[in-house]
C-alpha cells in the first residue's frame, strides 16, 4: 500500500478564523469615498473648476471617510483570530486615498 505524500501548501486547513465585519465596512468606506470623489471631480471638471463650495465640502467629507476607514481597518488588523485579507485591502485602499487627497489639497493650495 502506497502512502500519498502531501504537497506543501496544498492541504486543506479548516480554521475558525473569520473575516472581521469592521474590515468589510472599512473597505466599503474606501470604495464609497473613491466613487464620491470621482463624481465630484467630474462635476468640477464640467463646471471648469467653478463648482462652488459644496463640492469642496463633499471633498472634505470624502477625506474624512478615508480617515475613518483607515483607522477602522488598522484596528481590525490588530484583532485576534482573523483572516487578514479584508483588513489589508481596506487599509491599502484608504491609505492610498489619504495620500491622494492630501496631494490634491496641497497642490490646490499652492496653485
Amino acid at each position: 500500500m502506497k502512502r500519498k505524500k502531501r504537497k506543501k501548501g496544498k492541504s486543506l486547513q479548516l480554521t475558525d478564523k473569520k473575516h472581521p465585519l469592521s474590515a468589510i465596512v472599512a473597505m466599503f468606506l474606501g470604495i464609497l469615498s473613491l466613487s464620491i470623489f470621482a463624481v465630484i471631480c467630474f462635476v468640477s471638471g464640467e463646471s471648469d473648476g467653478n463648482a462652488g463650495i459644496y463640492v469642496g465640502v463633499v471633498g472634505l467629507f470624502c477625506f474624512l471617510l478615508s480617515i475613518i476607514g483607515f483607522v477602522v481597518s488598522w484596528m481590525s488588523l490588530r484583532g485576534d483570530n482573523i483572516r487578514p485579507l479584508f483588513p489589508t485591502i481596506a487599509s491599502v485602499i484608504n491609505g492610498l486615498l489619504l495620500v491622494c487627497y492630501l496631494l490634491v489639497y496641497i497642490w490646490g493650495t499652492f496653485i
Side-chain angles (χ1 to χ4, degrees):
M1 202 191 256
K2 288 185 177 180
R3 288 190 176 181
K4 293 183 179 179
K5 290 185 178 180
R6 288 189 181 185
K7 294 181 182 179
K8 259 189 178 176
K10 297 288 183 181
S11 63
L12 178 65
Q13 294 179 349
L14 299 176
T15 64
D16 55 347
K17 292 183 178 183
K18 296 181 180 180
H19 294 290
L21 180 64
S22 59
I24 295 171
V25 169
M27 192 171 74
F28 174 73
L29 288 175
I31 293 170
L32 180 69
S33 174
L34 179 64
S35 60
I36 291 172
F37 190 71
V39 168
I40 64 171
C41 283
F42 177 75
V43 168
S44 179
E46 285 295 314
S47 65
D48 294 327
N50 297 320
I53 192 76
Y54 297 113
V55 172
V57 170
V58 172
L60 290 174
F61 176 71
C62 290
F63 182 68
L64 182 68
L65 277 178
S66 291
I67 290 173
I68 293 170
F70 185 76
V71 170
V72 169
S73 66
W74 192 258
M75 288 172 43
S76 66
L77 265 173
R78 300 211 176 249
D80 292 333
N81 206 12
I82 62 160
R83 292 184 186 263
L85 177 68
F86 284 115
T88 304
I89 292 172
S91 62
V92 167
I93 288 173
N94 287 308
L96 288 175
L97 284 174
L98 283 174
V99 170
C100 290
Y101 291 151
L102 284 174
L103 287 175
V104 165
Y105 295 139
I106 291 171
W107 185 30
T109 304
F110 292 116
I111 291 181

